[in-house]
Amino acid sequence: MRTDEARYVERTPWPHWAEGVFWGALALTSFAMLAGWDTDLPATVRVPIAAGIITLGVALRWIIGGMTVRVDDTGVFVHLGRVPLLRRHVPFDEIEGMEVVRYRPMRDFGGWGIRGLGKTKAWTARGTRAVRLRLTDERVLYIGSDVPQRLAERIRTIGGAGVRA
């Protein structure tokens, strides 16, 4: 789905501490390679490797950085990062009900990201608030949001009669 087809788009970045850990690890790894720590490789080899590490890190951050939720005329589309490689689409006709909830990411799902086993799944980037969708076949999907009331209202408004609270 293209952004211009979406009727509502919400982006939730990873928490600042996670960004710090990511960029810090990338910087330390690159510096270690450039400085020649624990390697006898010549600088003519270390520099391109360090550049490759930085390039890979930036690409990885672009691909899986944060979470995007889009609502269009067909349903709810969730994906990590800017590039929708890891994605989930929920058609409106699969939504039996929804509510705004507080949850405990660490205790309930073992952290943030794409989590869950069995019929209960979570797509979250940070925080403790979500829209919980009750889906057909007794499945449950938590979609993390900084503004879950607005997300739920957009799903209700755009989904029309097919989405019940």
Side-chain angles (χ1 to χ4, degrees):
M1 168 194 331
R2 295 188 334 247
T3 303
D4 59 348
E5 295 173 347
R7 301 210 17 221
Y8 176 73
V9 177
E10 175 179 307
R11 290 188 176 86
T12 306
W14 296 115
H16 296 300
W17 65 264
E19 291 282 343
V21 168
F22 177 82
W23 291 114
L26 184 65
L28 183 60
T29 304
S30 301
F31 178 77
M33 180 54 67
L34 287 173
W37 293 354
D38 199 32
T39 183
D40 294 331
L41 295 172
T44 56
V45 175
R46 289 193 322 261
V47 171
I49 290 174
I53 291 170
I54 292 169
T55 302
L56 182 63
V58 170
L60 183 63
R61 168 60 180 82
W62 181 257
I63 291 170
I64 63 168
M67 186 178 75
T68 302
V69 180
R70 295 179 179 156
V71 183
D72 69 4
D73 293 328
T74 65
V76 181
F77 185 79
V78 186
H79 66 86
L80 292 184
R82 300 281 179 172
V83 181
L85 295 177
L86 300 170
R87 63 183 181 263
R88 170 91 189 258
H89 181 256
V90 180
F92 288 129
D93 62 358
E94 289 185 15
I95 301 173
E96 292 183 342
M98 82 177 145
E99 59 250 340
V100 173
V101 298
R102 283 201 175 272
Y103 71 108
R104 299 165 302 191
M106 292 302 288
R107 184 176 287 171
D108 297 343
F109 297 103
W112 293 269
I114 302 171
R115 302 292 182 135
L117 296 171
K119 293 188 176 193
T120 302
K121 305 275 195 257
W123 284 67
T124 62
R126 69 177 182 193
T128 60
R129 298 178 300 163
V131 173
R132 180 172 54 201
L133 301 177
R134 291 184 316 279
L135 306 176
T136 56
D137 299 333
E138 299 177 3
R139 293 175 295 147
V140 176
L141 177 64
Y142 287 74
I143 300 175
S145 174
D146 289 337
V147 284
Q149 293 84 1
R150 182 171 45 192
L151 176 58
E153 180 57 34
R154 296 304 190 277
I155 293 170
R156 225 178 262 112
T157 302
I158 297 168
V163 179
R164 294 181 295 254

